[in-house]
Amino acid sequence: MDKQNRHDATRADIAAAERILGIEQTAPERALIAAAIAAQIDLARARRAVELDDDLAPACVFDPRLPGFETPGRGPLTLPGAACPFPGADDAAIAFAPARAQAAWIRNGQLTAARLTGIYLDRIARLDPAIGAFARLNPAALAEAAALDDRAARGDWAGPLHGVPWACKDLIDTAGIVTDWGAEPFRGRVPPEDAAVVRRLRAAGAVLLGKTVVGALGYGDVWYGGRTRNPWNPDEGASGSSSGSAAAVAAGLCGFALGTETLGSIVAPAARCGAIGLRPSFGRIGRSGVMKLCPSLDRVGPLCRDIADAALVLAALNGADPGDPSSRDIPFGGDVAGGAEGLRIGILDGDFAGAGAGEARRALERLRALGATLVRVTLPPLPWETLVSLLMAEAAASFEPLTLSGRDDLLARQDEAAWPNQFRLARFLSAVDHVQLDRLRRRGMQAMRDGFAAVDLLAAPFAAGPLHTLAAFTGHPCLCTPVGFTSAPPRPSAGLAPPEQAPPRRVPAALCLWGELFDEAKLLAAGLALAERCALDLRPQPT
């Protein structure tokens, strides 16, 4: 409707809009609204005509810290020793070794960065066609590794990850290497400079192998080039949206990887693929150069095969950067080797019920055997799931130009749950409800603060109960770690059903732990102790 017919809104139009918004007005109220709404429409159109820079942050910046928050005093970062016998000519054992061990072998001359990079490139060439973890490789990977070997020969060590090859989710900018977010409208996009996290890993000595698949615009495991599959069961997707990063780590195609998460995009593929996924506290890691989906929710975090590796990578990434007003300079430290003894671990009633939580229940008993105390906790019975509307509104705002231009039709997925439809649906969210949801979010922050007054950590099986949603909106850190195996038929993901009559397979089962804000070390210490007690062989066999 243009300006000359902008007054055509009628009381019937208002009544129809009420049905969409779930409200009801009286007939006189509708008449008043119809008379005044043209000016409101003009204001909205005037704002839409302004082209906003993709890097422009909202004026309202989310801070997960409530008044009175005190940064945990954790001291210097302490990691367990990286002692591990060098496997010699066993390339597979080298590929699946912890990144800390790989770095140690390079430092003591048993391994070179070039050999390690070559091992991974060979594995990618042989194994990735069946998995689809990588969108593209870094053509300079071997040259970067050779340059690091030259530095090592001179005694010049870049940092704690010197020579360790890593994989970068394709939402994270890499200078000169296509970063197109897995989405057709941005196909071929080449950023001019590295994201802040890429610069930090380069400074730590890590070798970029390539870009891992992201579900288009950070949703699911399907992108314009296909679908990423779970290395443990190629009949199912790897889940999303850090699907490529989780699958690459689980399949031994890189030393570690970076993922991003808005609502489950690190922990979901980690749980499915048997990787370790760490979603740090909101604001711990600067996000300059990372695709903006939901500025008040998005986080960057590591995916690894070893929990101490996750701590090492987090230490390299930690810190604010000028381009991200949500980021904070908060030190990361503490004793990751401290174990679980004396920790109070909170569990919500019902989260561990049901046959599917068997491995998670056994993990709780292992934590108890390690000296932890299990404590029943409660959350206020509020509709935490409604907070997802905040996510949808932010995502729709981030990609408004796609919706208004019609270029969202270029995206392959056009089902009810896919982004194009969700972006359109978000246009019908109420701004008043949005503000009220923001207030409910603060109520959730208070509930989490009150819950942590009685415990050190919270625990739940992956995707069970309200914690997965609530803690995403409150900014709390989450560690997803494999704790056993189960037999399961192929599971759906990204709106796609698995093949019919596909057989069940042995796949990893996961437990999620949540810690207090900016206290990841305690979380990692409990996870490491549990991983050592579980002693799982997390090497999927090629099929």
Side-chain angles (χ1 to χ4, degrees):
M1 167 169 36
D2 57 28
K3 282 195 174 183
Q4 69 180 21
N5 61 12
R6 66 180 188 170
H7 297 293
D8 289 349
T10 66
R11 282 173 283 184
D13 295 329
I14 303 303
E18 289 168 18
R19 290 193 294 274
I20 292 173
L21 293 171
I23 60 174
E24 186 173 354
Q25 316 279 0
T26 66
E29 289 167 344
R30 289 176 192 137
L32 289 173
I33 294 170
I37 200 166
Q40 183 168 297
I41 293 171
D42 282 348
L43 291 175
R45 286 181 171 157
R47 196 277 309 154
R48 291 175 200 154
V50 177
E51 185 174 342
L52 299 174
D53 191 326
D54 288 343
D55 292 331
L56 188 65
C60 296
V61 175
F62 177 63
D63 188 337
R65 300 169 298 177
L66 290 166
F69 174 82
E70 295 183 4
T71 303
R74 304 298 297 167
L77 180 64
T78 304
L79 299 177
C84 188
F86 181 60
D90 188 343
D91 286 353
I94 292 173
F96 278 101
R100 294 175 304 119
Q102 294 170 345
W105 295 332
I106 291 171
R107 186 170 284 271
N108 64 27
Q110 294 172 294
L111 182 65
T112 64
R115 180 185 169 194
L116 183 55
T117 301
I119 288 172
Y120 281 129
L121 290 173
D122 176 68
R123 290 180 63 83
I124 292 168
R126 288 188 293 108
L127 303 177
D128 197 48
I131 299 170
F134 280 86
R136 61 196 59 87
L137 297 177
N138 174 16
L142 282 172
E144 291 177 13
L148 286 164
D149 287 335
D150 288 342
R151 289 182 61 177
R154 302 191 302 270
D156 177 15
W157 299 96
L161 294 167
H162 186 111
V164 177
W166 70 287
C168 182
K169 183 177 179 179
D170 199 35
L171 292 186
I172 302 171
D173 282 354
T174 44
I177 301 175
V178 170
T179 304
D180 54 15
W181 309 337
E184 292 86 343
F186 303 95
R187 194 164 183 170
R189 173 185 174 273
V190 180
E193 58 185 28
D194 288 334
V197 290
V198 175
R199 294 195 299 270
R200 288 173 181 174
L201 289 178
R202 288 190 190 281
V207 177
L208 176 63
L209 280 173
K211 307 305 290 288
T212 48
V213 168
V214 55
L217 302 182
Y219 187 7
D221 49 30
V222 176
W223 67 302
Y224 66 73
R227 188 183 197 190
T228 304
R229 301 188 177 275
N230 180 3
W232 293 89
N233 185 358
D235 288 332
E236 67 181 9
S239 188
S241 68
S242 300
S243 53
S245 291
V249 165
L253 305 184
C254 58
F256 67 92
L258 284 193
T260 66
E261 173 157 333
T262 304
L263 181 62
S265 290
I266 289 175
V267 298
R272 181 164 292 193
C273 296
I276 291 157
L278 175 62
R279 181 187 73 200
S281 300
F282 182 85
R284 182 175 280 290
I285 298 172
R287 303 168 299 176
S288 293
V290 179
M291 187 199 84
K292 291 173 178 59
L293 183 64
C294 301
S296 79
L297 288 160
D298 299 340
R299 303 184 226 180
V300 180
L303 288 136
C304 304
R305 289 182 297 273
D306 176 86
I307 289 178
D309 283 354
L312 185 64
V313 175
L314 180 59
L317 298 174
N318 185 59
D321 72 79
D324 180 4
S326 296
S327 59
R328 304 280 180 262
D329 272 319
I330 296 180
F332 169 52
D335 186 4
V336 174
E341 186 172 1
L343 292 179
R344 300 161 300 164
I345 299 178
I347 56 175
L348 296 172
D349 282 338
D351 280 3
F352 288 85
E359 291 300 323
R361 287 194 296 270
R362 281 184 277 276
L364 283 184
E365 292 308 312
R366 291 186 176 109
L367 285 167
R368 197 200 302 268
L370 289 165
T373 301
L374 304 184
V375 180
R376 295 283 178 181
V377 296
T378 60
L379 286 172
L382 295 171
W384 306 118
E385 70 280 0
T386 63
L387 293 171
V388 173
S389 291
L390 291 172
L391 184 159
M392 294 304 175
E394 287 192 35
S398 292
F399 289 100
E400 182 184 58
L402 281 186
T403 305
L404 297 183
S405 68
R407 293 174 65 237
D408 54 354
D409 291 339
L410 296 173
L411 289 162
R413 280 194 64 199
Q414 294 289 333
D415 54 90
E416 181 180 315
W419 275 140
N421 190 53
Q422 294 299 320
F423 293 162
R424 296 168 200 141
L425 277 173
R427 309 299 302 193
F428 296 94
L429 291 169
S430 160
V432 174
D433 285 334
H434 190 88
V435 173
Q436 298 296 67
L437 282 169
D438 209 35
R439 297 177 69 201
L440 178 62
R441 185 179 193 175
R442 180 165 287 266
R443 181 67 186 88
M445 294 161 65
Q446 294 167 343
M448 290 290 281
R449 177 198 59 195
D450 296 345
F452 275 114
V455 298
D456 300 295
L457 305 174
L458 295 167
F462 170 70
L467 283 169
H468 289 273
T469 296
L470 179 58
F473 285 88
T474 60
H476 285 77
C478 179
L479 177 70
C480 181
T481 183
V483 292
F485 295 94
T486 187
S487 179
R491 295 155 289 186
S493 61
L496 299 178
E500 292 185 7
Q501 299 180 334
R505 294 180 186 266
R506 182 174 180 263
V507 292
L511 180 74
C512 288
L513 297 170
W514 290 264
E516 294 187 75
L517 289 169
F518 300 101
D519 196 8
E520 287 85 353
K522 193 183 297 179
L523 186 68
L524 291 161
L528 179 61
L530 177 59
E532 290 174 346
R533 177 61 65 97
C534 293
L536 303 178
D537 183 352
L538 290 166
R539 293 174 294 179
Q541 297 301 310
T543 58

Coordinates of all heavy atoms in Angstrom, one line a residue, residues 429-499:
L429 N 5.1 -10.6 14.7 CA 5.3 -10.6 16.2 C 5.0 -9.2 16.7 O 5.3 -8.2 16.0 CB 6.7 -11.0 16.6 CG 7.1 -12.4 16.3 CD1 8.6 -12.6 16.5 CD2 6.4 -13.3 17.3
S430 N 4.4 -9.1 17.9 CA 4.1 -7.8 18.5 C 5.3 -7.2 19.2 O 6.0 -7.9 19.9 CB 2.9 -8.0 19.5 OG 2.9 -6.9 20.4
A431 N 5.5 -5.9 18.9 CA 6.6 -5.2 19.6 C 6.3 -5.1 21.1 O 7.3 -5.2 21.9 CB 6.7 -3.8 19.1
V432 N 5.1 -5.0 21.5 CA 4.7 -5.0 23.0 C 5.1 -6.4 23.6 O 5.7 -6.4 24.7 CB 3.2 -4.7 23.1 CG1 2.8 -4.8 24.6 CG2 2.9 -3.3 22.6
D433 N 4.7 -7.4 22.9 CA 5.1 -8.8 23.4 C 6.6 -8.9 23.5 O 7.1 -9.6 24.4 CB 4.5 -9.9 22.5 CG 3.0 -10.0 22.7 OD1 2.5 -9.7 23.8 OD2 2.3 -10.5 21.7
H434 N 7.3 -8.3 22.5 CA 8.7 -8.4 22.5 C 9.3 -7.8 23.8 O 10.2 -8.4 24.4 CB 9.3 -7.7 21.3 CG 10.7 -8.0 21.0 ND1 11.2 -9.0 20.3 CD2 11.8 -7.3 21.4 CE1 12.5 -9.0 20.2 NE2 12.9 -8.0 20.9
V435 N 8.8 -6.7 24.1 CA 9.3 -6.0 25.4 C 9.0 -6.9 26.6 O 9.8 -7.1 27.5 CB 8.7 -4.6 25.5 CG1 9.1 -4.0 26.9 CG2 9.2 -3.7 24.4
Q436 N 7.8 -7.4 26.6 CA 7.4 -8.3 27.7 C 8.3 -9.6 27.8 O 8.6 -10.1 28.9 CB 5.9 -8.6 27.7 CG 5.0 -7.4 27.7 CD 5.1 -6.7 29.1 OE1 6.1 -6.1 29.4 NE2 4.1 -6.8 29.9
L437 N 8.6 -10.1 26.6 CA 9.5 -11.3 26.6 C 10.9 -10.9 27.1 O 11.5 -11.7 27.8 CB 9.6 -11.8 25.1 CG 8.5 -12.6 24.6 CD1 8.6 -12.8 23.1 CD2 8.4 -14.0 25.3
D438 N 11.3 -9.7 26.8 CA 12.6 -9.3 27.3 C 12.6 -9.2 28.9 O 13.6 -9.5 29.5 CB 13.0 -7.9 26.7 CG 14.5 -7.7 26.6 OD1 15.2 -8.7 26.4 OD2 14.9 -6.5 26.8
R439 N 11.5 -8.8 29.4 CA 11.3 -8.8 30.9 C 11.3 -10.2 31.4 O 11.8 -10.5 32.5 CB 10.0 -8.0 31.3 CG 10.1 -6.6 30.8 CD 8.8 -5.9 31.2 NE 8.6 -5.7 32.6 CZ 7.4 -5.5 33.2 NH1 6.3 -5.5 32.5 NH2 7.4 -5.4 34.5
L440 N 10.6 -11.1 30.7 CA 10.6 -12.5 31.1 C 12.0 -13.1 31.1 O 12.4 -13.9 31.9 CB 9.7 -13.4 30.2 CG 9.7 -14.9 30.5 CD1 9.1 -15.2 31.9 CD2 8.8 -15.6 29.4
R441 N 12.8 -12.6 30.1 CA 14.2 -13.0 30.0 C 15.0 -12.6 31.3 O 15.7 -13.4 31.8 CB 14.9 -12.4 28.8 CG 16.3 -12.9 28.5 CD 16.8 -12.2 27.2 NE 18.1 -12.8 26.8 CZ 18.7 -12.5 25.6 NH1 18.2 -11.6 24.8 NH2 19.8 -13.1 25.3
R442 N 14.7 -11.4 31.7 CA 15.4 -11.0 33.0 C 14.9 -11.8 34.1 O 15.7 -12.2 35.0 CB 15.2 -9.5 33.2 CG 15.8 -9.0 34.5 CD 15.9 -7.5 34.6 NE 16.8 -7.0 33.6 CZ 18.1 -6.7 34.0 NH1 18.5 -6.9 35.2 NH2 18.9 -6.2 33.1
R443 N 13.7 -12.2 34.1 CA 13.2 -13.1 35.2 C 13.9 -14.5 35.1 O 14.2 -15.0 36.2 CB 11.7 -13.3 35.0 CG 11.0 -14.2 36.1 CD 11.1 -13.5 37.5 NE 10.6 -14.4 38.5 CZ 11.4 -15.3 39.2 NH1 12.7 -15.4 38.9 NH2 10.9 -16.0 40.1
G444 N 14.2 -14.9 33.9 CA 15.0 -16.1 33.8 C 16.4 -16.0 34.3 O 16.9 -16.9 34.9
M445 N 17.0 -14.8 34.1 CA 18.3 -14.5 34.6 C 18.3 -14.6 36.1 O 19.2 -15.2 36.7 CB 18.8 -13.2 34.1 CG 19.0 -13.1 32.6 SD 19.1 -11.4 31.9 CE 20.5 -10.8 32.7
Q446 N 17.3 -14.1 36.7 CA 17.2 -14.1 38.2 C 17.0 -15.5 38.7 O 17.6 -15.9 39.7 CB 16.0 -13.2 38.6 CG 16.2 -11.8 38.4 CD 14.9 -11.0 38.5 OE1 13.8 -11.5 38.5 NE2 15.1 -9.6 38.7
A447 N 16.2 -16.3 37.9 CA 16.0 -17.7 38.3 C 17.2 -18.5 38.3 O 17.5 -19.3 39.1 CB 14.9 -18.3 37.4
M448 N 18.1 -18.3 37.2 CA 19.3 -19.0 37.1 C 20.3 -18.6 38.2 O 21.0 -19.4 38.9 CB 20.0 -18.8 35.8 CG 19.2 -19.4 34.6 SD 19.3 -21.2 34.6 CE 21.0 -21.5 33.9
R449 N 20.3 -17.3 38.5 CA 21.1 -16.8 39.7 C 20.7 -17.5 41.0 O 21.6 -17.9 41.7 CB 21.0 -15.3 39.8 CG 21.8 -14.7 41.0 CD 21.3 -13.3 41.3 NE 19.8 -13.3 41.6 CZ 19.1 -12.2 41.7 NH1 19.6 -11.0 41.4 NH2 17.8 -12.3 42.0
D450 N 19.4 -17.5 41.2 CA 18.9 -18.1 42.4 C 19.2 -19.6 42.5 O 19.6 -20.2 43.5 CB 17.4 -17.9 42.6 CG 17.0 -16.5 42.7 OD1 17.9 -15.6 43.0 OD2 15.8 -16.1 42.5
G451 N 19.1 -20.3 41.3 CA 19.4 -21.7 41.3 C 20.9 -22.0 41.6 O 21.2 -23.0 42.3
F452 N 21.8 -21.2 41.1 CA 23.2 -21.4 41.3 C 23.6 -21.0 42.7 O 24.8 -21.3 43.1 CB 24.1 -20.6 40.3 CG 24.2 -21.4 39.0 CD1 23.7 -21.0 37.8 CD2 25.0 -22.6 39.0 CE1 23.8 -21.7 36.6 CE2 25.2 -23.3 37.8 CZ 24.6 -22.9 36.6
A453 N 22.8 -20.4 43.5 CA 23.1 -20.1 44.9 C 23.2 -21.4 45.7 O 23.9 -21.4 46.7 CB 22.0 -19.2 45.5
A454 N 22.6 -22.4 45.2 CA 22.6 -23.7 46.0 C 23.5 -24.8 45.3 O 23.7 -25.8 46.0 CB 21.1 -24.2 46.0
V455 N 23.9 -24.6 44.1 CA 24.7 -25.6 43.4 C 25.9 -24.9 42.7 O 25.9 -23.7 42.4 CB 23.9 -26.4 42.4 CG1 22.8 -27.2 43.2 CG2 23.3 -25.5 41.3
D456 N 26.8 -25.8 42.3 CA 28.0 -25.3 41.4 C 27.7 -25.5 40.0 O 28.1 -24.6 39.1 CB 29.2 -26.1 41.8 CG 29.6 -25.9 43.3 OD1 30.0 -24.8 43.7 OD2 29.6 -26.9 44.0
L457 N 27.0 -26.5 39.6 CA 26.7 -26.9 38.2 C 25.3 -27.4 38.1 O 24.7 -27.8 39.1 CB 27.6 -28.0 37.7 CG 29.1 -27.7 37.8 CD1 29.9 -29.0 37.3 CD2 29.6 -26.5 36.9
L458 N 24.7 -27.3 36.9 CA 23.5 -28.0 36.6 C 23.7 -29.0 35.5 O 24.6 -28.9 34.7 CB 22.5 -26.9 36.1 CG 22.0 -25.9 37.1 CD1 21.3 -24.7 36.3 CD2 21.1 -26.5 38.2
A459 N 22.9 -30.1 35.5 CA 23.1 -31.2 34.6 C 21.8 -31.6 34.0 O 20.7 -31.6 34.7 CB 23.8 -32.4 35.2
A460 N 21.8 -32.0 32.7 CA 20.6 -32.6 32.1 C 21.1 -33.4 30.8 O 22.1 -33.1 30.2 CB 19.6 -31.6 31.7
P461 N 20.3 -34.4 30.4 CA 20.6 -35.0 29.1 C 20.4 -34.0 28.0 O 19.6 -33.0 28.2 CB 19.6 -36.2 29.1 CG 19.0 -36.3 30.4 CD 19.2 -35.0 31.1
F462 N 21.0 -34.2 26.9 CA 20.9 -33.3 25.8 C 19.4 -33.2 25.4 O 18.7 -34.2 25.3 CB 21.7 -33.7 24.6 CG 21.3 -32.9 23.4 CD1 21.7 -31.5 23.3 CD2 20.6 -33.4 22.3 CE1 21.3 -30.8 22.2 CE2 20.2 -32.7 21.3 CZ 20.6 -31.3 21.2
A463 N 18.9 -32.0 25.3 CA 17.6 -31.6 24.8 C 16.5 -32.0 25.8 O 15.3 -31.9 25.5 CB 17.3 -32.3 23.5
A464 N 16.8 -32.3 27.0 CA 15.8 -32.6 28.0 C 15.5 -31.4 28.9 O 16.4 -30.7 29.3 CB 16.2 -33.8 28.9
G465 N 14.2 -31.1 29.2 CA 13.9 -30.0 30.1 C 14.1 -28.6 29.6 O 14.5 -28.4 28.5
P466 N 13.9 -27.6 30.5 CA 13.9 -26.2 30.1 C 15.3 -25.6 30.0 O 15.5 -24.5 29.5 CB 13.1 -25.5 31.1 CG 13.3 -26.4 32.4 CD 13.4 -27.8 31.9
L467 N 16.3 -26.3 30.6 CA 17.6 -25.6 30.7 C 18.2 -25.3 29.4 O 18.9 -24.2 29.2 CB 18.6 -26.5 31.5 CG 18.4 -26.5 33.0 CD1 19.2 -27.6 33.7 CD2 18.7 -25.1 33.6
H468 N 18.0 -26.1 28.4 CA 18.7 -25.8 27.1 C 18.2 -24.5 26.5 O 19.0 -23.8 25.9 CB 18.4 -27.0 26.1 CG 19.1 -28.2 26.5 ND1 20.4 -28.5 26.0 CD2 18.8 -29.3 27.2 CE1 20.8 -29.6 26.5 NE2 19.9 -30.2 27.3
T469 N 16.9 -24.3 26.6 CA 16.4 -23.0 26.1 C 16.7 -21.8 27.1 O 17.2 -20.8 26.6 CB 14.8 -23.1 25.9 OG1 14.6 -24.1 25.0 CG2 14.3 -21.7 25.5
L470 N 16.4 -22.0 28.3 CA 16.6 -20.9 29.3 C 18.0 -20.4 29.3 O 18.3 -19.2 29.2 CB 16.1 -21.3 30.6 CG 16.2 -20.2 31.7 CD1 15.5 -18.9 31.3 CD2 15.7 -20.7 33.1
A471 N 19.0 -21.3 29.5 CA 20.4 -20.9 29.6 C 21.0 -20.3 28.4 O 21.9 -19.5 28.4 CB 21.2 -22.1 30.0
A472 N 20.4 -20.6 27.2 CA 20.8 -19.9 26.0 C 20.5 -18.4 26.1 O 21.2 -17.5 25.6 CB 20.1 -20.5 24.8
F473 N 19.3 -18.1 26.7 CA 18.9 -16.7 26.8 C 19.5 -16.0 28.0 O 19.5 -14.7 28.0 CB 17.3 -16.6 26.8 CG 16.7 -16.9 25.5 CD1 16.4 -18.2 25.1 CD2 16.4 -15.8 24.6 CE1 15.8 -18.4 23.9 CE2 15.9 -16.1 23.4 CZ 15.6 -17.4 23.0
T474 N 19.9 -16.7 29.0 CA 20.6 -16.1 30.1 C 22.1 -15.9 30.0 O 22.7 -15.2 30.8 CB 20.2 -16.9 31.4 OG1 20.8 -18.2 31.3 CG2 18.8 -16.9 31.7
G475 N 22.7 -16.5 29.0 CA 24.1 -16.4 28.7 C 25.0 -17.3 29.4 O 26.2 -17.2 29.4
H476 N 24.5 -18.3 30.1 CA 25.3 -19.2 30.9 C 26.1 -20.2 30.0 O 25.6 -20.6 29.0 CB 24.4 -20.0 31.9 CG 24.0 -19.2 33.1 ND1 23.0 -18.3 33.0 CD2 24.5 -19.1 34.4 CE1 22.8 -17.7 34.1 NE2 23.7 -18.1 35.0
P477 N 27.3 -20.6 30.5 CA 28.1 -21.6 29.7 C 27.5 -23.0 29.8 O 27.0 -23.4 30.8 CB 29.5 -21.4 30.3 CG 29.2 -21.1 31.7 CD 28.0 -20.2 31.7
C478 N 27.7 -23.7 28.7 CA 27.3 -25.1 28.6 C 28.4 -26.0 28.0 O 29.0 -25.6 27.0 CB 26.0 -25.2 27.8 SG 25.4 -26.9 27.6
L479 N 28.6 -27.1 28.6 CA 29.5 -28.1 28.1 C 28.7 -29.4 27.7 O 28.0 -29.9 28.6 CB 30.6 -28.5 29.1 CG 31.5 -29.6 28.8 CD1 32.5 -29.1 27.7 CD2 32.3 -30.1 30.0
C480 N 28.8 -29.8 26.5 CA 28.2 -31.1 26.0 C 29.3 -32.1 25.8 O 30.2 -31.9 25.1 CB 27.4 -30.8 24.8 SG 26.5 -32.3 24.1
T481 N 29.1 -33.2 26.5 CA 30.2 -34.2 26.4 C 29.6 -35.6 26.3 O 28.6 -36.0 26.9 CB 31.1 -34.2 27.7 OG1 32.2 -35.1 27.5 CG2 30.3 -34.5 28.9
P482 N 30.2 -36.5 25.4 CA 29.7 -37.9 25.3 C 30.0 -38.6 26.6 O 31.0 -38.5 27.2 CB 30.5 -38.4 24.1 CG 31.7 -37.5 24.0 CD 31.3 -36.2 24.5
V483 N 29.0 -39.5 27.0 CA 29.1 -40.2 28.2 C 28.9 -41.7 28.0 O 28.9 -42.5 29.0 CB 28.2 -39.7 29.3 CG1 28.7 -38.3 29.8 CG2 26.7 -39.6 28.9
G484 N 28.5 -42.1 26.8 CA 28.3 -43.5 26.5 C 27.7 -43.7 25.1 O 27.9 -42.8 24.3
F485 N 27.1 -44.9 24.9 CA 26.6 -45.2 23.6 C 25.2 -45.7 23.7 O 24.8 -46.3 24.7 CB 27.5 -46.2 22.8 CG 28.9 -45.6 22.5 CD1 29.9 -45.9 23.4 CD2 29.1 -44.9 21.4 CE1 31.2 -45.4 23.1 CE2 30.3 -44.4 21.1 CZ 31.4 -44.6 21.9
T486 N 24.4 -45.6 22.6 CA 23.1 -46.2 22.6 C 22.9 -46.6 21.2 O 23.5 -46.2 20.2 CB 22.0 -45.2 23.0 OG1 20.8 -45.8 23.1 CG2 21.9 -44.0 22.0
S487 N 21.9 -47.5 21.0 CA 21.5 -47.9 19.7 C 20.3 -47.2 19.3 O 19.3 -47.2 20.0 CB 21.2 -49.5 19.7 OG 20.8 -49.9 18.4
A488 N 20.3 -46.5 18.1 CA 19.2 -45.7 17.7 C 19.0 -45.7 16.2 O 20.0 -45.8 15.5 CB 19.5 -44.2 18.2
P489 N 17.8 -45.7 15.8 CA 17.5 -45.5 14.3 C 17.9 -44.1 13.9 O 18.0 -43.2 14.7 CB 16.0 -45.8 14.2 CG 15.5 -45.4 15.6 CD 16.5 -45.8 16.6
P490 N 18.0 -43.9 12.6 CA 18.4 -42.5 12.1 C 17.3 -41.5 12.6 O 16.1 -41.8 12.6 CB 18.4 -42.7 10.6 CG 18.6 -44.1 10.4 CD 17.9 -44.8 11.5
R491 N 17.9 -40.4 13.1 CA 17.0 -39.4 13.7 C 16.8 -38.2 12.7 O 17.8 -37.9 11.9 CB 17.6 -38.8 15.0 CG 17.6 -39.9 16.1 CD 18.7 -39.7 17.1 NE 20.0 -39.9 16.6 CZ 21.2 -39.9 17.3 NH1 21.1 -39.6 18.6 NH2 22.3 -40.1 16.8
P492 N 15.7 -37.5 12.7 CA 15.5 -36.4 11.7 C 16.3 -35.2 12.2 O 16.7 -35.1 13.4 CB 14.0 -36.2 11.8 CG 13.6 -36.6 13.2 CD 14.5 -37.8 13.5
S493 N 16.6 -34.3 11.2 CA 17.2 -33.0 11.6 C 16.9 -32.1 10.4 O 16.7 -32.6 9.3 CB 18.7 -33.2 11.8 OG 19.4 -33.7 10.7
A494 N 16.9 -30.8 10.7 CA 16.8 -29.8 9.6 C 15.5 -30.0 8.8 O 15.4 -29.7 7.7 CB 18.0 -29.8 8.7
G495 N 14.5 -30.6 9.5 CA 13.2 -30.7 8.8 C 13.2 -31.9 7.8 O 12.2 -32.1 7.1
L496 N 14.2 -32.7 7.8 CA 14.3 -33.8 6.8 C 14.2 -35.1 7.5 O 14.8 -35.3 8.6 CB 15.7 -33.7 6.1 CG 15.9 -32.5 5.2 CD1 17.3 -32.6 4.6 CD2 14.8 -32.3 4.2
A497 N 13.4 -36.0 7.0 CA 13.2 -37.3 7.6 C 14.3 -38.2 7.1 O 14.8 -38.1 6.0 CB 11.9 -37.9 7.1
P498 N 14.8 -39.1 8.0 CA 15.8 -40.1 7.6 C 15.3 -41.1 6.6 O 14.0 -41.2 6.4 CB 16.2 -40.7 8.9 CG 15.0 -40.6 9.7 CD 14.3 -39.4 9.3
P499 N 16.1 -41.9 6.0 CA 15.6 -42.9 5.0 C 14.7 -43.9 5.7 O 14.9 -44.3 6.9 CB 16.9 -43.6 4.6 CG 18.0 -42.7 4.9 CD 17.6 -41.9 6.0

